[in-house]
Amino acid sequence: MLSQVGKHELYERVRKVVTEPEMTLAWPLIAEIRELKRAREAVILAHNYQHPLIFHGVADLRGDSLQLARLAQEVEARTLVMCGVHFMAETAKLLSPKRSVLLPSFEAGCSLADAITPEDVRALRRQYPGVPVVSYVNTTAAVKAVSDVCCTSSNALKIVEALGSPRVIFVPDRHLAGHVARQTEVEIITWEGGCVVHEEFRLADIEALRASYPQIKVIAHPECHAEVQEAADMVGSTSALIDWVAQEKPREVAMITECTMSDNVASHFPEVAFHQPCSICPYMRKITLEGIRDVLRDGSGQVEIAPTIAAGARRAVARMLELS
Ligand code: SF4
């Protein structure tokens, strides 16, 4: 668990994206959250796409959705506060069922998780009898419960191939499905889901970046359009994008993903210049410092999963962990 930085160090980390008056205004709230967190024996989890004041100011654990859920299993805490979207809070609850999992806003949904229902999965199973269903972690627990196994963007190919089936149903993201299909002999049957944030990026954005910054390296998330992926120097999950920057240390880079992530990681790589077209997730922005304070103070925002759904969803997540 990372220690909490003081006011001066926090400002140094966020100064490119947060003004000094904003920081001064937010500081009493950050201090109040830290105090409430101690009183409630809580741990705050923040996804890479969270606002920098949340990410650097109050979070104890940071990462992508699966990293967060796994790390949360290892810490001692009675309460977990998920600064991310609803399906992430559900996954944390699935893996830590005895803990309270609090979500600061139930409006923090996800266009991908909304793209498919359990009934859609059942219809696909009827259409393709005997074909296993892999559901991306960006789905509701109810969809996971009717799937054979889950996957993340980092282990999708491995999970698909580990099933040993010549055909696999892969839902709901069509671009991640295409990314997997281009790397495997397994036939991929997919669904027309997409992420509103990653679908914003176009080939013209990449061309414009390369024209403006001839030395730039462009690295993209697999939820982007195929043409964007093909034009990139590397395609990978959010954690793979960060690892790539840490390893390659490019002079200039564009991370083609939710742009808050660049703001959050840039302070760790002062020698790297980050440029990019910006697309912000409106769902992630539903999580605010005020919302975090309120759930910690009141114990509100409890995430619950019906036992029948939880059992099936936990099985699909456990199978992913076994296979990856
Ligand atoms: S960035 Fe896309 S996939 Fe992630 S939470 Fe937002 S809408 Fe969902």
Side-chain angles (χ1 to χ4, degrees):
M1 199 158 49
L2 297 172
S3 60
Q4 307 264 263
V5 297
K7 187 176 178 185
H8 179 70
E9 196 183 338
L10 176 58
Y11 183 58
E12 285 306 309
R13 288 193 189 180
V14 302
R15 62 186 308 159
K16 284 192 184 145
V17 282
V18 176
T19 63
E20 201 162 1
E22 276 176 311
M23 168 77 204
T24 302
L25 208 61
W27 184 252
L29 199 46
I30 290 171
E32 188 182 357
I33 289 170
R34 290 177 176 184
E35 196 44 51
L36 286 165
K37 184 168 64 168
R38 265 189 291 276
R40 201 174 267 281
E41 294 175 44
V43 159
I44 298 184
L45 289 63
H47 189 266
N48 292 322
Y49 298 167
Q50 279 300 305
H51 189 280
L53 284 174
I54 295 174
F55 190 85
H56 292 292
V58 298
D60 301 294
L61 303 174
R62 308 167 179 92
D64 63 26
S65 57
L66 191 67
Q67 282 173 328
L68 291 177
R70 280 179 136 161
L71 287 169
Q73 284 182 293
E74 293 162 15
V75 292
E76 289 200 9
R78 285 171 33 172
T79 301
L80 304 174
V81 180
M82 174 55 79
C83 299
V85 296
H86 187 262
F87 77 80
M88 297 176 183
E90 281 190 332
T91 309
K93 182 72 184 175
L94 287 172
L95 294 178
S96 301
K98 297 213 169 95
R99 292 175 178 165
S100 282
V101 176
L102 309 181
L103 182 62
S105 170
F106 278 77
E107 289 179 22
C110 169
S111 66
L112 266 175
D114 288 346
I116 192 157
T117 66
E119 188 41 49
D120 294 328
V121 175
R122 288 190 196 100
L124 282 166
R125 285 195 187 277
R126 286 193 293 274
Q127 197 179 344
Y128 302 100
V131 178
V133 176
V134 179
S135 69
Y136 192 22
V137 73
N138 298 33
T139 47
T140 61
V143 165
K144 289 182 178 75
V146 292
S147 305
D148 292 283
V149 61
C150 289
C151 75
T152 66
S153 50
S154 51
N155 64 20
L157 175 64
K158 194 170 182 184
I159 299 289
V160 162
E161 296 198 326
L163 293 174
S165 169
R167 298 172 100 191
V168 162
I169 298 168
F170 188 102
V171 297
D173 188 63
R174 59 200 168 119
H175 302 303
L176 178 59
H179 178 64
V180 173
R182 287 190 285 281
Q183 300 172 78
T184 183
E185 299 290 303
V186 178
E187 184 191 343
I188 307 287
I189 298 154
T190 191
W191 188 253
E192 282 300 292
C195 160
V196 288
V197 173
H198 291 97
E199 291 208 327
E200 281 281 303
F201 300 109
R202 299 286 159 184
L203 179 58
D205 296 321
I206 313 300
E207 290 170 347
L209 281 165
R210 292 205 191 277
S212 302
Y213 310 102
Q215 297 196 24
I216 201 167
K217 296 292 180 193
V218 177
I219 58 179
H221 195 279
E223 289 168 21
C224 295
H225 288 279
E227 60 179 21
V228 170
Q229 295 185 37
E230 278 155 23
D233 295 296
M234 176 262 180
V235 178
S237 63
T238 50
S239 40
L241 298 182
I242 297 170
D243 291 348
W244 190 90
V245 173
Q247 215 173 327
E248 300 293 323
K249 296 269 164 50
R251 282 173 59 182
E252 297 182 274
V253 72
M255 287 179 158
I256 307 298
T257 185
E258 213 273 0
C259 61
T260 316
M261 191 170 96
S262 293
D263 297 339
N264 285 334
V265 301
S267 61
H268 296 298
F269 304 104
E271 68 283 27
V272 179
F274 288 80
H275 311 282
Q276 67 195 112
C278 194
S279 183
I280 289 182
C281 177
Y283 305 103
M284 289 281 181
R285 279 293 177 275
K286 298 289 180 191
I287 306 297
T288 60
L289 287 169
E290 287 79 2
I292 299 167
R293 186 263 322 273
D294 292 352
V295 294
L296 277 170
R297 187 189 55 205
D298 307 335
S300 54
Q302 294 274 353
V303 175
E304 300 293 351
I305 307 172
T308 45
I309 289 174
R314 199 171 292 121
R315 178 193 36 74
V317 174
R319 190 152 181 224
M320 168 181 74
L321 298 176
E322 274 163 33
L323 294 176
S324 58

